[in-house]
Amino acid sequence: FVMALAGEIDVVPVAVKGSRQVLPKKSFTIRPGTIELHFGKPLKAKDFADKGPDEFANTARQRVVEMLQ
């Protein structure tokens, strides 16, 4: 997020659902299943220029958590 702010690059939050069922932790065996990708609205870097990278990252994380519910 430091680099996104420095380069004035917007960030798109992305949530991944179902990957743990398809590829469980500590396993190399891929199982049948469905993985869903959810793309949020872009977060404008210029909106966080005065708030800093931590606030930018926290907002992105919050958006991902909302998409996972």
Side-chain angles (χ1 to χ4, degrees), residues 3-64:
M3 293 173 62
L5 284 175
E8 298 179 358
I9 299 168
D10 299 342
V11 171
V12 178
V14 178
V16 180
K17 285 185 178 181
S19 61
R20 191 161 288 168
Q21 290 77 21
V22 173
L23 185 61
K25 284 185 177 183
K26 299 183 181 182
S27 173
F28 292 105
T29 304
I30 298 174
R31 299 178 181 172
T34 301
I35 297 176
E36 299 176 20
L37 295 176
H38 298 268
F39 297 90
K41 293 181 182 179
L43 298 172
K44 304 275 186 204
K46 66 180 182 180
D47 294 342
F48 295 89
D50 60 337
K51 298 176 184 173
D54 290 337
E55 183 69 24
F56 200 6
N58 288 337
T59 301
R61 182 183 184 285
Q62 181 181 15
R63 299 279 173 88
V64 170

